Amino acid sequence: MNKRFTSLIILAALTLSTWAQTAVFRYQGNDLPDGATVTIYAEEDEWGDLVCESNPPTNPANGLVLANLTSQALSGTASLEIHSNTINPERIQWCMGSDCNMITTDKYENKAFSVPASNYTLTQFDASNPRQYGELTATITAMIGLAKLTVNIRFVYKDPAAVEYFPRTSVIEEFTGTWCGNCTRGIVGIRNLAKEFGDRCIAIAVHSGTNEPMHINSYHDNGLVPSSIPRCIIDRVTSAYPYEGTSGGVHYGLNKDFAAALDVPAEAKIELTAQWENERRNYIVCNATTTFGLDSEKAPYAVIFVILEDGLRGEGKEWAQVNYYANESPRQLPDADMDEVYASPYNITDIEYNHVAVATLGVKSGVAGSIKAPIVKGEPQTYAGRVVMNGNKIMQNPYNLTAVAMIVNTETGALVNATKAHVDSFEGDGVEALEVERKAKDDTTFNLQGQRVNGPALQRGIYVRGGSKILVR
């Protein structure tokens, strides 16, 4: 690591450390990590009006505040940016301390504020009398000198009698690369999520880099890859580190952010089947069925398709995972689940890469027309998406693929719900051996590309052993 880069890291660490000792957003008495999302549902206030408000009138201090952690008064500026607004409220008000304004534009900048020593100032944001079901999302950014802290606000207006909610499956898109020495922590973080949340967690590894053998163009071409990695995003809402989570500390905390995402109610569910179209394997046909728990004349939703592959591996420098944590002392991340990373070499060879995105369809905003208006509560809609696989340079085993389908809110960009399914063979594939093999009897096992496969257990797919085909389900 060169001196300039090291200096930048130290400066960033000092800035964050200084900020952590200066002020913090709090909600309902709890400190919020930078970039946290506060979700508030519309309720009747003391005058009987319907309102979403970050500070309850009976006890405003229990709402959203900016707390001064020092013994000196602090001053700064703040800005509010509204990202989306589908609830169409009668009025929107924003206050920083005693400075209040009615918001009529999408962005209000440079509101001055001060925070008394060892005290707090109210950070109030209200949306009164929403006229239709939906959401309002916004970000408040506070600046004190060079230090910056943000909090996201999500106002929700749903009629419990009119909306049926479904269990949510959340998606974590992990941005990584074989060249990225810090990305080994993401391997541990995502594996921990899979153990804790099982099928309610869908992980997508988005590889990036000039010489990265699993680099996927569609994520880059649509501006979905962050400027620095490792990074991950949960349900296209919460940006976090792929081990520590939003805390940015030294301990594993990604599970807290993921659990919070799962708690958000989903107004729709999605089901999926996926199959190769024919023997030429140019396309995968993904049949996604969406069912909503609400009626809507509009349909601000669409379906995103991503194809994943497990067990990717290769030879050469570009396939070796760089590991900055090799033999590191003292350890940056001291948790025991990182032990194998610290014990691994600087260049980890013979590694399997899993849940790797190899192809997509409508990856940013979904496929236009995949969910049509009007939406009728309880009435399923089915859309067949054809994902192009012809000439795909990432895929290794066409029988070892998983399709993921996600409902995206096209107005907010947030994912509503998701599911996944194994990509089945096309009818008439000619596979006759249906024996399920869980353990190799010898070492002479090959995939359909002629590559020898080692290990006691095989991934799903078709293999050749002793001149016979074996299908592992």
Side-chain angles (χ1 to χ4, degrees), residues 406-425:
M406 302 170 271
I407 303 173
V408 61
N409 184 314
T410 56
E411 293 181 341
T412 67
L415 300 182
V416 174
N417 218 333
T419 190
K420 62 182 179 180
H422 179 64
V423 178
D424 294 329
S425 305

Side-chain angles (χ1 to χ4, degrees), residues 91-358:
R91 64 185 180 91
I92 301 174
Q93 178 179 261
W94 177 42
C95 303
M96 286 294 293
S98 59
D99 185 2
C100 296
N101 293 85
M102 302 301 296
I103 306 301
T104 57
T105 60
D106 285 347
K107 192 170 185 179
Y108 186 95
E109 295 184 347
N110 299 328
K111 179 191 291 290
F113 67 88
S114 61
V115 190
S118 304
N119 210 320
Y120 63 85
T121 187
L122 292 180
T123 303
Q124 188 172 343
F125 184 39
D126 298 342
S128 301
N129 293 320
R131 295 185 176 90
Q132 61 190 46
Y133 302 135
E135 298 183 5
L136 185 153
T137 59
T139 298
I140 296 175
T141 302
M143 297 288 300
I144 299 177
L146 296 177
K148 179 176 74 171
L149 192 66
T150 61
V151 61
N152 299 305
I153 309 293
R154 178 174 175 260
F155 288 153
V156 180
Y157 175 35
K158 303 288 186 184
D159 184 350
V163 180
E164 176 186 354
Y165 293 108
F166 300 92
R168 175 181 288 267
T169 296
S170 286
V171 174
I172 181 166
E173 292 165 297
E174 178 204 8
F175 300 96
T176 184
T178 59
W179 54 269
C180 170
N182 288 316
C183 289
T184 46
R185 61 185 175 180
I187 296 174
V188 179
I190 300 301
R191 184 177 59 198
N192 287 353
L193 286 187
K195 289 180 180 179
E196 184 171 353
F197 298 102
D199 289 339
R200 295 193 70 190
C201 171
I202 295 178
I204 299 175
V206 180
H207 282 253
S208 167
T210 304
N211 296 317
E212 161 65 64
M214 294 164 282
H215 175 96
I216 181 164
N217 289 327
S218 58
Y219 268 87
H220 290 264
D221 295 344
N222 284 281
L224 296 173
V225 178
S227 58
S228 63
I229 62 174
R231 203 69 181 171
C232 65
I233 187 167
I234 303 171
D235 288 340
R236 301 273 175 99
V237 172
T238 303
S239 178
Y241 296 103
Y243 180 78
E244 308 97 301
T246 56
S247 66
V250 297
H251 297 291
Y252 173 63
L254 186 60
N255 58 338
K256 297 177 183 178
D257 301 298
F258 200 83
L262 288 176
D263 285 342
V264 177
E267 66 265 32
K269 66 177 181 178
I270 184 166
E271 300 166 285
L272 176 68
T273 62
Q275 186 177 44
W276 284 102
E277 187 175 58
N278 52 40
E279 68 278 1
R280 293 189 299 275
R281 299 190 186 91
N282 291 332
Y283 300 95
I284 294 173
V285 179
C286 300
N287 289 291
T289 300
T290 54
T291 306
F292 283 78
L294 54 84
D295 293 315
S296 176
E297 293 301 317
K298 301 193 304 178
Y301 303 95
V303 180
I304 295 171
F305 298 99
V306 178
I307 305 299
L308 309 180
E309 184 171 352
D310 287 337
L312 288 173
R313 60 172 63 236
E315 298 180 353
K317 181 179 179 180
E318 67 273 14
W319 282 95
Q321 178 64 56
V322 177
N323 175 26
Y324 287 164
Y325 301 100
N327 301 313
E328 184 182 61
S329 182
R331 295 183 172 189
Q332 293 182 49
L333 304 171
D335 296 340
D337 55 5
M338 286 287 293
D339 283 352
E340 66 177 276
V341 174
Y342 287 109
S344 297
Y346 183 86
N347 289 295
I348 307 174
T349 58
D350 195 29
I351 186 173
E352 271 193 0
Y353 297 95
N354 296 317
H355 48 265
V356 176
V358 300

